[in-house]
Amino acid sequence: MDQKGYRRGSFQSATSDEDMLEITAASVDFPMADDDPPLDREMGGFSSYNGGGMNGTSTMMDFLEEPLPGVGTYEDFNTIDWVREKSRDRDRHREITNRSKESTWALLHSVSDAFSGWLLMLLIGLLAGSLAGLIDISAHWMTDLKEGVCLAGFWFNHEHCCWKSNTTFTDRDKCPEWKSWSQLILGHGEGAFAYILNYLMYVIWALMFSLLAVLLVKGFAPYACGSGIPEIKTILSGFIIRGYLGKWTLVIKTITLVLAVSSGLSLGKEGPLVHVACCCGNILCHLFTKYRKNEAKRREVLSAAAAAGVSVAFGAPIGGVLFSLEEVSYYFPLKTLWRSFFAALVAAFTLRSINPFGNSRLVLFYVEFHMPWHLLELVPFILLGIFGGLWGAFFIRSNIAWCRRRKTTRLGKYPVLEVFVVTAITAILAFPNEYTRMSTSELISELFNDCGILDSSQLCEYVNDFNSTKGDDLPDRAAGPGVYTAMWQLALALIMKVFITIFTFGMKVPSGLFIPSMAVGAIAGRLLGVAMEQLAFYHHDWAIFSGWCSQGADCITPGLYAMVGAAACLGGVTRMTVSLVVIMFELTGGLEYIVPLMAAAMTSKWVADAIGREGIYDAHIRLNGYPFLEAKEEFSHKTRAMDVMRPRKNDPPLTVITQDSMTVEDVETIVTKTTYSGYPVVVSRTSQRLVGFVLRRDLIISIENARKKQDGVVSTSVICFTDYCPPLPPSSPSVLKLRSILDLSPFTVTDETPMEIVVDIFRKLGLRQCLVTHNGKLLGIITKKDVLKHIAQMANQDPNSILFN
């Protein structure tokens, strides 16, 4: 591929975290610096490199001693070398430890270096928790703004506005301080004209919020769209996307997330909050040298930041750590586990201190069920798991098909129009139905709720023909007219949510999938729960009920079914298991309902996996062609390294650099005519005995600096990659020593190595490339892209559709 991202001039500009790229779909589409093996081919896209340079007049510089700025860093859209980064960190740590014995100041520096990781986790937790609290409060207020305004203070949402009101408990939502738009404009809230005015204001506010969100994303931070989790998974696997976790992305994502959630679109804020927390982690890494200068160490911090993001999204610190381990992270050592736990703890504590929900609880959907579940209820719970798996597989296929259509047709060129149309349809369909008009979080909270004596919701309008109750325990009762009305409304809401979410997820606004998926499952679960409750009430003498459900007893809890259904649908879409169950019981406080949650989550995963192996995030990674090597997949094909390596038969020979016989001009010609990210160094072209591997970026920076700062380096100067260069005539120009940028221990395999071992090596060591030898002689090279292409071919997929579309 052409290296279109290469820039003339300083290399520092190409590595800035603030670089922004315009993207045309839910995720990024980008040019890519070529990671393919160094084969001779025509020059493409590298015309910016000025090989001539200029001769400096400064003193002689020994490139073995003095490190150059930029050497050892990576260009945008390249994969990091995990082995090299970990080796550099070990060398740095070893040096600090040795120096700590020399002086008190060095000892203090060693202690501060060891403590810096924990201090960074503290800062990430504080910042992520504060931003999450701000987003929660703002989104709640702006959601209520679509329906009315508080006269006591426009900054109060509906619930806070009515706190000081003297209205009765049943009329707590109709306090005089809160005015709907029809009451404010017309002076009354009854009648057809008032309804139409409220309807119109609801749609106008929704369109304003969504349009402002998409315009901000399109104009200032294109990376702020989508949920961000597929890209974060890719970044944590070692890929570099400059600007994706930058300051502008953080600011715009925070603002537009509030706008998008408030617009009433079928999306959530939980996935984007992981992106926001990772932005916080990336920005704060720049305060500490060991994280700023080491990409592998930075990814450990981002894993912990992802845990903090889930912690504040759901109020689930332990679930956040498990989510980072199970779903997001590629490399998760024990030290990162401890630090993730600490970051999630601090973030949750910060959010609890802010108290955005006003109920002094950290959990989003606190439930208090009074009756334990019965063993026979596992059957409907498993049915909910099957529904969740089917819904997850249907959603993934439909959403990926729509996103692919967006990417490959003119639809992707009009993101603002798409957001406008989807928002208009959503608002128009949502307002007439009470359960789609309210925010999705409020809907889930109501569906999880167990009906009590004072509940005035339609879902709790049962026929009260009992004589007495024991505390809050109400017996199963016959459903009243309100319950039947609510069932019809929930059925319509389910149909709307199922289909509108397909078109919403992936638009050019921040959009999470956790809450919409949970809403679909919660609605289905509540419908099944009420059906089971009525079945038990009218047929308590049936064999399946007779042993444990007598007349007048409280047997079935519909809210529990909603909770299990929510877990099943979320599991079907994301394929999470352990972290999902922990998040759900932390989210609701329903610790004794772990077994139903486990049964539903496992069933939904089995059913969804039987239809399609990929979760929604993996499917979007493949759709966007990110170089992500899935660690969970098994490679079982009997191919060898020689079947995958480059060059193949009839290909041009491998482009190599010799250790001490090529001039500056020769190397510049190779760099100019190829677009590859590195070159093998051999003893000579005839022997092909491998010496090491040198990165293209390091070569360019070193040669440019040598021309400017080292006397006597000209185009005819010999480049030497060894300690002792061969003797040259006295009239020869200065030798350019570049041994310091040479990787003397590149990973090598023989040509007969099975590909299953090669794939395992790439997964577990995070390699960029692997050299192939035969009897010590260099034969070819296998890059991460070659491995991904080969896996795609073995799966009967088009390899060109997998990588960097």
Side-chain angles (χ1 to χ4, degrees), residues 365-656:
F365 311 118
Y366 181 76
V367 296
E368 201 168 3
F369 302 141
H370 303 291
M371 291 300 295
W373 58 280
H374 193 270
L375 189 62
L376 289 175
E377 288 185 279
L378 276 179
V379 175
F381 293 155
I382 290 172
L383 288 177
L384 284 173
I386 294 172
F387 171 78
L390 294 173
W391 144 252
F394 165 75
F395 174 82
I396 291 169
R397 290 198 175 186
S398 305
N399 180 253
I400 292 298
W402 178 252
C403 289
R404 184 175 287 112
R405 184 177 182 83
R406 183 190 289 124
K407 289 169 71 70
T408 56
T409 62
R410 296 181 64 188
L411 178 65
K413 297 179 181 178
Y414 306 103
V416 178
L417 180 62
E418 182 189 10
V419 170
F420 180 87
V421 171
V422 173
T423 306
I425 293 172
T426 304
I428 290 168
L429 294 177
F431 186 83
N433 189 335
E434 177 188 349
Y435 294 107
T436 50
R437 188 192 316 162
M438 67 175 65
S439 72
T440 315
S441 296
E442 288 178 20
L443 169 63
I444 295 172
S445 184
E446 184 154 336
L447 292 171
F448 283 6
N449 183 43
D450 186 22
C451 289
I453 299 173
L454 298 176
D455 280 313
S456 57
S457 166
Q458 273 192 323
L459 281 170
C460 297
E461 284 189 19
Y462 289 91
V463 177
N464 294 322
D465 57 355
F466 52 88
N467 297 321
S468 63
T469 62
K470 297 177 181 179
D472 273 342
D473 293 348
L474 296 177
D476 289 344
R477 298 162 286 166
V483 174
Y484 287 115
T485 303
M487 292 300 101
W488 280 109
Q489 290 179 331
L490 284 175
L492 292 173
L494 177 63
I495 295 170
M496 177 190 163
K497 292 280 185 187
V498 162
F499 289 100
I500 205 71
T501 308
I502 292 170
F503 302 100
T504 304
F505 186 70
M507 293 195 306
K508 272 280 226 173
V509 292
S511 53
L513 195 58
F514 282 43
I515 289 295
S517 300
M518 288 176 64
V520 169
I523 294 172
R526 188 78 187 206
L527 291 173
L528 180 61
V530 172
M532 286 290 296
E533 182 187 46
Q534 295 305 299
L535 195 65
F537 177 77
Y538 287 109
H539 303 284
H540 56 83
D541 53 344
W542 283 9
I544 57 173
F545 298 118
S546 58
W548 57 284
C549 188
S550 59
Q551 187 174 11
D554 181 14
C555 307
I556 307 292
T557 307
L560 173 59
Y561 285 71
M563 188 169 81
V564 172
C569 282
L570 184 54
V573 171
T574 62
R575 309 299 163 86
M576 295 190 302
T577 50
V578 180
S579 56
L580 170 63
V581 172
V582 174
I583 286 172
M584 286 302 299
F585 83 68
E586 282 190 283
L587 187 65
T588 58
L591 189 62
E592 61 183 294
Y593 303 105
I594 288 181
V595 173
L597 291 171
M598 291 173 70
M602 206 67 247
T603 305
S604 69
K605 178 173 171 58
W606 283 337
V607 171
D609 281 348
I611 301 172
R613 296 287 297 175
E614 291 179 322
I616 186 65
Y617 301 128
D618 294 329
H620 272 275
I621 285 172
R622 186 163 62 85
L623 175 69
N624 290 293
Y626 298 137
F628 183 76
L629 197 54
E630 179 57 68
K632 301 169 189 171
E633 297 290 331
E634 291 291 332
F635 184 86
S636 56
H637 303 282
K638 294 183 178 180
T639 51
R640 296 169 297 171
M642 63 187 301
D643 301 323
V644 181
M645 73 175 191
R646 305 285 186 89
R648 308 270 175 85
K649 289 181 181 179
N650 303 321
D651 279 350
L654 196 67
T655 299
V656 295

Side-chain angles (χ1 to χ4, degrees), residues 140-166:
H140 197 170
W141 171 68
M142 292 177 68
T143 300
D144 289 346
L145 193 62
K146 291 183 298 183
E147 297 185 30
V149 68
C150 183
L151 297 183
F154 73 91
W155 55 88
F156 289 125
N157 60 41
H158 193 167
E159 183 182 357
H160 293 171
C161 186
C162 294
W163 272 356
K164 296 182 180 179
S165 176
N166 294 322

Side-chain angles (χ1 to χ4, degrees), residues 639-671:
T639 51
R640 296 169 297 171
M642 63 187 301
D643 301 323
V644 181
M645 73 175 191
R646 305 285 186 89
R648 308 270 175 85
K649 289 181 181 179
N650 303 321
D651 279 350
L654 196 67
T655 299
V656 295
I657 296 175
T658 58
Q659 65 176 359
D660 56 13
S661 60
M662 294 181 72
T663 64
V664 171
E665 185 177 16
D666 295 334
V667 174
E668 285 176 344
T669 302
I670 289 175
V671 169

Side-chain angles (χ1 to χ4, degrees), residues 6 8 19 72 77-78 155 211 222 290 312 324 330 387 397 452 462 473 531 605 608 641 647 689:
Y6 184 87
R8 184 185 302 273
D19 289 346
F77 306 125
N78 264 287
W155 55 88
L211 284 176
K290 76 173 179 179
V312 294
S324 181
Y330 196 83
F387 171 78
R397 290 198 175 186
Y462 289 91
D473 293 348
K605 178 173 171 58
R689 289 177 65 85

